[in-house]
Amino acid sequence: MAKTVLHKAATRGHADHGWLDSHHTFSFANYYNPERMQFGALRVLNDDIVAGGRGFDAHPHDNMEIISIPLEGALEHKDNLGNTVITKAGEIQVMSTGTGVFHSEYNANTDIPAEFLQIWLFPNQLNVTPRYDQVTVDINNRPNQLQQLISPDPNGKGTWLYQNAWFHMGRFDKGGETTYEIKKQGNGVYFFVIKGKFIINGQELDNRDGYGVEDTSQFTIVSQEEDAQLLVIDVPIFS
Amino acid sequence: MEPTQLRILAVGRNAEIMTVMHRLLNAPDNWTGITVTADEAARAAFEKEAFDIVLICAGVSTEEEAVLTAYFKQHSPAVIVKRHYGGGSGLLKNEILYALENR
């Protein structure tokens, strides 16, 4: 019997700081809900909009795998590893923060907001040497398919991180259908609707809904809208 | 229920991050804390005063964490010893509130 958790978009934590409008699927910063602490190794899923020219000053991170997925606009990232990079929609950024890294993140444009997902996973190794990576992902030319963004394999498609986790993303036409098979026995899968509506193994999901499923190895994904987008996060389950 | 003036000790190896942690631990009205980078300094601090929570931060290995946890628990069985993840404000408050609720 599958164990599921449905996080409707409207039930997420919300913080409006003026320059930053953030929705938290899981407890984060001043949003605390003991029922929303994690989905296995997935600890943070923030849906952020940063005003033009604004952003996060230099701040530290450690022992977390941090994935940033710009959806609209672009982010300028600077870190003490020597990276100064602009990441735009269609690119994915991964930081293994390990023993510690300081970075800043700003909206690279002054006139339009930057919209992005920031996702944190617990690592499967503590205190690794920090690393930064960025890859380009083109989901537009492969409709109705899931494209691998991240895996644990440094030689795998996309980029990699220190966790037995896989990220896939896809853009779908209305009625577009695909299947997803879990990548590691014992993992769970967290679906996040970036745009549109989907039905996944019979569960209806709207824009920005999240749906976690354990004890199921195969999923049927059907898009209910044109130009719908889905993120699939396959992670080890623990509490 | 959050006790007033929760006292927190944080031990981690990254001195720059521990400086930030010190500021974060002393920002809320109902927490105060100190940070150290060496296990010996952590033990010395623990002998000097009572702490409600010890946060184990980046750079401390799981073996070192086990030794420290055994030491802290031996001297104060009620103390909460918890691994801190993230290195900053994102998870800190949540980790502390959750640990207090589930102690």
Side-chain angles (χ1 to χ4, degrees), chain B residues 39-51:
Chain B
D39 296 352
E40 201 46 53
R43 288 191 194 91
F46 207 77
E47 281 170 14
K48 243 189 244 178
E49 61 171 308
F51 290 95

Side-chain angles (χ1 to χ4, degrees), chain A:
Chain A
M1 184 74 172
K3 185 179 170 189
T4 65
V5 60
L6 177 63
H7 296 141
K8 294 298 289 178
T11 67
R12 297 177 296 171
H14 182 224
D16 186 353
H17 302 283
W19 66 273
L20 168 67
D21 188 81
S22 186
H23 286 87
H24 311 300
T25 295
F26 300 102
S27 295
F28 187 83
N30 289 320
Y31 168 58
Y32 175 63
N33 178 348
E35 303 299 316
R36 295 272 188 101
M37 295 304 288
Q38 64 195 94
F39 179 77
L42 173 59
R43 176 61 187 84
V44 172
L45 201 174
N46 289 343
D47 183 358
D48 291 345
I49 300 174
V50 177
R54 303 294 299 274
F56 303 88
D57 291 333
H59 59 280
H61 291 296
D62 63 38
N63 281 333
M64 271 284 164
E65 302 298 295
I66 297 181
I67 301 101
S68 296
I69 305 177
L71 302 175
E72 297 285 345
L75 290 171
E76 184 183 78
H77 161 102
K78 285 185 188 174
D79 64 42
N80 64 347
L81 307 175
N83 299 295
T84 299
V85 186
I86 290 179
T87 312
K88 56 186 185 302
E91 295 170 327
I92 308 291
Q93 178 193 107
V94 172
M95 275 199 305
S96 298
T97 60
T99 54
V101 59
F102 279 72
H103 81 138
S104 63
E105 282 167 304
Y106 280 87
N107 184 338
N109 297 299
T110 56
D111 54 342
I112 55 168
E115 188 177 332
F116 70 107
L117 303 177
Q118 190 164 86
I119 298 163
W120 296 13
L121 301 189
F122 290 111
N124 60 7
Q125 289 180 54
L126 290 173
N127 305 322
V128 299
T129 300
R131 64 176 280 272
Y132 175 93
D133 197 12
Q134 182 171 318
V135 290
T136 300
V137 177
D138 186 2
I139 58 170
N140 292 319
N141 289 332
R142 299 179 60 201
N144 307 316
Q145 296 177 56
L146 290 168
Q147 185 168 343
Q148 181 171 297
L149 315 178
I150 300 170
S151 78
D153 180 3
N155 299 312
K157 195 169 181 192
T159 184
W160 64 279
L161 44 61
Y162 288 100
Q163 185 51 273
N164 291 317
W166 288 258
F167 283 55
H168 289 75
M169 198 158 95
R171 189 189 70 74
F172 293 79
D173 302 324
K174 186 173 183 179
E177 182 173 336
T178 192
T179 57
Y180 180 78
E181 197 155 328
I182 207 158
K183 299 299 177 224
K184 188 172 192 298
Q185 195 65 32
N187 271 16
V189 180
Y190 195 86
F191 298 94
F192 185 76
V193 178
I194 294 172
K195 189 179 173 190
K197 294 182 178 188
F198 287 87
I199 296 178
I200 299 175
N201 281 10
Q203 175 65 54
E204 289 185 24
L205 298 173
D206 294 316
N207 198 39
R208 274 4 190 220
D209 286 354
Y211 182 49
V213 185
E214 299 174 38
D215 303 323
T216 298
S217 57
Q218 193 151 18
F219 301 89
T220 301
I221 297 163
V222 186
S223 170
Q224 303 298 296
E225 285 188 359
E226 195 64 27
D227 195 28
Q229 291 182 32
L230 183 71
L231 178 65
V232 181
I233 306 171
D234 187 328
V235 284
I237 293 300
F238 54 78
S239 55

